[in-house]
Amino acid sequence: MFDLEEELKKLPAKPGVYLMHDKKDAIIYVGKAISLKNRVRQYFQASRNVSPKIERMISQIDHFEYIITDSEVEALVLESNLIKEHKPKYNTMLKDDKNYPYIKATTWEEYPRLLIARKQERDKSRYFGPFTSAGAAKDTLDLAHKIYKIRTCGRILPRDTGKERPCLNYHIGQCSAPCQGNITKEEYQENFRKAMKLIEGDYTEVTDYLTEKMMKASESLAFEEAAGYRDLISSVKKMAVRQKVTDFKGQDRDIIALARTLEEAVVQVFFVRDGKLVGRDHFHLNGTSGEKEEDILQDFIKQFYAGTPFIPREVMVEYNIADAALIEQWLGGRRGGKVHLLVPKRGSKERLVELAHKNAALVLTQDMERIKREEERTSGAMKEICSWLGITGVSRVESYDISNINGFQSVGSMVVFEDGRPKRSDYRKFKIKTVKGPDDYASMYEVLSRRFRHGIDEMKGLEEKGLFKETGSFTRFPDLVMMDGGRGQVNIAQKVLMELKLDIPVCGMVKDDRHRTRGLFFNGCELPVKTDSEGFHLMARIQDEVHRFAIEYHRSLRSKEQVKSVLDDIKGIGVARRKALMKHFQSIEAIKNATVEELLQAGGMNESAASNVYKFFHNV
């Protein structure tokens, strides 16, 4: 039993991270503190002055835990990691988990390559970027290949020279085929040097080179070739326009500003690399209601730079933030050099921050309707389903399906929806181990028992090790189980939960005679639903997804030749009799319902074989 007063007395006056849990043991808030003793106690003081959002969070706290760190910087890093891992309900959350690509130049190779890379590694290669658009990185790379014919293959040169035929890129004029010895090492490396100048943003050399080529082709009356060079020059000029030169004298900066409404917030980031404004991006944030602008911006900065591999020398922001010095120290450690957080007050820098703010406001205005529609079809739809059931507080929903082929090799699927959106990383599939034949109820009992027993065992193991709960798809229990069926499926789920002493509501998605969803079965009765509502459409998506996941599992099993007929398990039934039975009865269900006399009518069947089939399906 958690004794709040006793636990508050035990809090150390040291830096660290605290985690607030609700009654279901879900982590609902993560915070850091210079002194855990002072910070955590503030939440439970009668004189506390907090935002309405934090007040709601406090009312839901059942217990807390904490982790001591050696410094406040370590606490900041741990806080960011835990927020990203657990996505607590009351933390301001960055919706967009974006990953910016690089162009990787393998300068250590004798015949170096230019490749797209998703992260910057500590190797001998040189990296350009990050690019704020995967399309922009690809366009730049394609242009470098077209103009300078740099190879993309993984052949080890010059060792593999002449061992294989040249690839398609050579035949379409985008590779000089060093693998065939068609170009000297010195010529190739000179072309590679020019390609890197193009990627760096030096367009003068490449434009002069292409113009010269175009003029020579024109003079030789090779007008088609000249037109090709003309098109390449046009592509280079478009890329040059995209990279607007600023007055930042070759430095790297990020410019960050915020726009918000009562419920929504958007942060705009301008990326300045080597003195050029190379791109911009925007990010939506959740859980900002009642928060101050400077606190929202601070939470964004911690989450954004925890996930991006590139740290600029300077970050210009719209508001002064409380942890500026701490964040500078953290980012400086990651960058390997000083990082400055600035709030420009005048001049061109202030105008750029203002421009970032205007862009954020424009994005927010344009996206409000889209965000509203998305919320209606996801979390809004989930709330509508809950209103039909008369329950609240549902975020995580799990749904299950049983599928088999000819009654054999039954499999189960589990899909997870959180706030009305599929969480595919938590999907799970099961091979039925204890049930023979096409018994969906028994198979569902096995699947649910394994799923929840696994979760209980995992949580016990984590508790014994002093680790956090809810770290995976099994340890996180649903707020609602939605069975694909009516009373029978619901009863199976409730039986499992009762045996395991778990209190989780269960409803069934009931279908009509045409296999269309018509209502919800809950607490012993069928509830009508509005078929033109977002809640109904979400139910359909959940059903479609759990079916799709089960069917895909079967397809993968069939591709491995792991699925066969249930008839193969019956004594005296070989390939010939199995085919004869299926040809005569057309389905396993018809065979299951046939008498011995009817089974004898199938080709090749004798009395012993027919009797074995009948006994198998009737457990005689």
Side-chain angles (χ1 to χ4, degrees):
M1 187 69 180
F2 189 84
D3 189 322
L4 179 61
E5 290 301 323
E6 284 301 314
E7 293 301 324
L8 288 174
K9 291 176 184 177
K10 296 177 186 177
L11 285 165
K14 292 181 178 181
V17 173
Y18 55 92
L19 301 94
M20 302 300 193
H21 293 253
D22 64 10
K23 291 180 180 178
K24 295 181 179 179
D25 204 35
I27 297 170
I28 59 174
Y29 189 78
V30 175
K32 66 167 182 62
I34 301 175
S35 169
L36 287 165
K37 181 177 182 178
N38 295 340
R39 184 72 186 97
V40 177
R41 289 177 69 89
Q42 287 175 359
Y43 287 103
F44 304 100
Q45 292 172 350
S47 59
R48 62 180 178 258
N49 182 20
V50 295
S51 68
K53 184 181 85 169
I54 297 300
E55 194 65 58
R56 288 194 300 274
M57 182 271 290
I58 293 170
S59 70
Q60 295 181 31
I61 295 173
D62 180 74
H63 59 282
F64 63 80
E65 58 182 316
Y66 56 86
I67 305 168
I68 299 170
T69 59
D70 290 333
S71 67
E72 196 179 355
V73 172
E74 283 188 19
L76 183 144
V77 174
L78 181 58
E79 177 199 35
S80 296
N81 291 337
L82 290 173
I83 289 172
K84 187 172 184 179
E85 179 183 355
H86 296 289
K87 297 179 174 56
K89 181 179 179 180
Y90 287 99
N91 282 94
T92 296
M93 287 299 304
L94 180 61
K95 283 186 184 180
D96 314 72
D97 190 13
K98 300 180 181 178
N99 184 13
Y100 298 112
Y102 291 82
I103 291 179
K104 176 180 179 179
T106 60
T107 51
W108 51 274
E109 294 180 313
E110 289 192 50
Y111 292 86
R113 296 167 293 158
L114 294 170
L115 310 165
I116 292 288
R118 280 293 166 183
K119 61 181 180 178
Q120 191 171 3
E121 298 176 344
R122 293 185 176 181
D123 54 19
K124 298 177 183 178
S125 301
R126 184 178 174 189
Y127 290 84
F128 299 90
F131 288 78
T132 58
S133 163
K138 186 177 182 301
D139 290 347
T140 304
L141 207 56
D142 287 347
L143 199 57
H145 287 141
K146 284 179 182 177
I147 297 170
Y148 295 113
K149 305 185 187 332
I150 304 301
R151 75 184 183 105
T152 60
C153 68
R155 297 174 187 176
I156 300 174
L157 301 180
R159 188 196 72 183
D160 295 339
T161 302
K163 289 185 178 180
E164 297 180 43
R165 289 180 297 176
C167 65
L168 179 63
N169 283 351
Y170 167 73
H171 294 292
I172 63 175
Q174 291 192 20
C175 179
S176 54
C179 63
Q180 302 301 306
N182 290 2
I183 184 172
T184 67
K185 177 181 173 181
E186 291 72 27
E187 288 175 318
Y188 183 90
Q189 290 188 346
E190 177 61 18
N191 286 344
F192 186 79
R193 181 194 66 78
K194 291 177 180 178
M196 288 205 296
K197 295 281 283 184
L198 170 64
I199 293 169
E200 287 171 349
D202 185 348
Y203 304 110
T204 305
E205 183 174 357
V206 66
T207 304
D208 292 345
Y209 167 76
L210 292 172
T211 302
E212 182 183 350
K213 289 275 192 181
M214 181 180 70
M215 297 305 295
K216 285 183 179 179
S218 181
E219 289 169 3
S220 303
L221 304 182
F223 298 118
E224 189 174 340
E225 185 181 348
Y229 287 122
R230 179 202 62 202
D231 293 342
L232 287 174
I233 291 169
S234 176
S235 297
V236 172
K237 287 181 177 178
K238 287 178 182 177
M239 190 176 295
V241 169
R242 204 185 292 161
Q243 295 198 1
K244 301 173 183 176
V245 178
T246 67
D247 58 352
F248 288 139
K249 300 177 182 178
Q251 293 195 2
D252 296 328
R253 287 179 171 87
D254 286 349
I255 301 153
I256 302 175
L258 168 74
R260 66 177 303 194
T261 63
L262 288 174
E263 300 294 334
E264 299 291 336
V266 169
V267 170
Q268 180 82 39
V269 183
F270 286 169
F271 302 96
V272 176
R273 299 293 179 261
D274 196 25
K276 298 178 179 66
L277 182 59
V278 298
R280 62 183 182 178
D281 211 341
H282 64 270
F283 303 83
H284 293 275
L285 294 103
N286 280 334
T288 59
S289 178
E291 295 289 325
K292 296 177 182 177
E293 282 80 0
E294 51 266 38
D295 293 336
I296 296 172
L297 205 57
Q298 177 169 285
D299 288 338
F300 168 79
I301 288 170
K302 289 191 289 187
Q303 292 180 52
F304 177 68
Y305 288 111
T308 183
F310 184 84
I311 308 296
R313 183 182 177 189
E314 188 173 280
V315 179
M316 299 195 310
V317 295
E318 193 174 8
Y319 301 100
N320 287 304
I321 58 178
D323 288 342
L326 186 65
I327 290 172
E328 285 180 338
Q329 186 181 348
W330 167 51
L331 294 180
R334 288 198 60 206
R335 182 177 178 271
K338 286 189 175 180
V339 175
H340 302 283
L341 259 65
L342 305 176
V343 183
K345 299 297 184 185
R346 63 178 69 87
S348 60
K349 292 182 179 180
E350 184 191 19
R351 288 194 294 275
L352 271 170
V353 172
E354 185 180 345
L355 182 61
H357 174 86
K358 288 179 179 177
N359 274 265
L362 180 62
V363 168
L364 188 59
T365 302
Q366 291 174 340
D367 284 0
M368 280 300 290
E369 189 60 35
R370 180 186 61 79
I371 293 169
K372 184 180 178 182
R373 288 197 305 271
E374 180 64 15
E375 291 296 326
E376 285 175 351
R377 70 184 294 274
T378 54
S379 57
M382 195 66 251
K383 288 177 183 175
E384 188 171 27
I385 292 172
C386 292
S387 70
W388 296 335
L389 301 175
I391 59 177
T392 58
V394 172
S395 172
R396 182 185 176 95
V397 171
E398 292 180 5
S399 187
Y400 301 84
D401 188 29
I402 298 297
S403 184
N404 56 70
I405 297 175
N406 291 340
F408 184 83
Q409 192 77 52
S410 291
V411 297
S413 64
M414 162 184 151
V415 301
V416 179
F417 278 64
E418 287 192 354
D419 297 320
R421 297 175 177 87
K423 189 179 182 184
R424 293 183 175 85
S425 61
D426 281 5
Y427 285 14
R428 291 295 180 268
K429 49 197 177 186
F430 304 81
K431 277 187 181 180
I432 305 303
K433 299 177 179 179
T434 63
V435 181
K436 290 192 176 182
D439 190 335
D440 285 356
Y441 285 167
S443 298
M444 184 61 74
Y445 178 85
E446 179 189 323
V447 166
L448 292 170
S449 297
R450 285 167 57 188
R451 181 265 178 271
F452 288 107
R453 286 186 190 280
H454 193 160
I456 291 169
D457 291 342
E458 276 191 5
M459 283 198 290
K460 286 180 180 177
L462 291 170
E463 285 176 351
E464 289 170 1
K465 295 177 182 178
L467 300 175
F468 301 122
K469 299 179 183 179
E470 299 197 352
T471 56
S473 63
F474 282 134
T475 53
R476 291 199 63 197
F477 285 170
D479 304 309
L480 174 66
V481 173
M482 297 186 74
M483 303 302 295
D484 184 33
R487 183 187 297 271
Q489 294 281 11
V490 170
N491 288 344
I492 292 294
Q494 288 176 332
K495 180 182 179 183
V496 171
L497 295 172
M498 190 179 301
E499 288 174 355
L500 298 176
K501 298 179 181 178
L502 295 174
D503 184 16
I504 301 172
V506 181
C507 71
M509 296 176 281
V510 186
K511 295 184 177 70
D512 60 19
D513 295 337
R514 297 183 180 180
H515 209 66
R516 296 179 303 189
T517 303
R518 69 169 188 241
L520 286 167
F521 184 82
F522 187 62
N523 285 344
C525 60
E526 187 175 321
L527 306 173
V529 299
K530 297 178 181 178
T531 56
D532 60 347
S533 66
E534 290 294 350
F536 178 83
H537 296 320
L538 176 58
M539 287 167 54
R541 288 198 298 276
I542 293 172
Q543 286 180 305
D544 290 344
E545 185 70 350
V546 73
H547 291 322
R548 178 198 65 78
F549 193 52
I551 290 167
E552 282 189 358
Y553 186 26
H554 262 305
R555 283 175 181 162
S556 70
L557 291 175
R558 286 201 303 272
S559 69
K560 298 173 184 176
E561 298 182 352
Q562 293 176 342
V563 176
K564 60 180 181 177
S565 172
V566 66
L567 299 176
D568 291 341
D569 280 358
I570 304 175
K571 184 180 178 180
I573 302 299
V575 175
R577 282 176 175 161
R578 183 188 67 197
K579 289 181 178 178
L581 284 167
M582 290 303 298
K583 183 178 180 180
H584 183 82
F585 290 99
Q586 298 297 310
S587 72
I588 290 292
E589 191 65 25
I591 296 172
K592 179 181 177 181
N593 295 327
T595 64
V596 173
E597 289 74 19
E598 289 169 335
L599 289 167
L600 282 168
Q601 295 174 17
M605 293 293 291
N606 57 32
E607 193 168 338
S608 175
S611 178
N612 287 341
V613 172
Y614 183 85
K615 289 177 181 178
F616 179 84
F617 284 111
H618 294 81
N619 297 318
V620 177

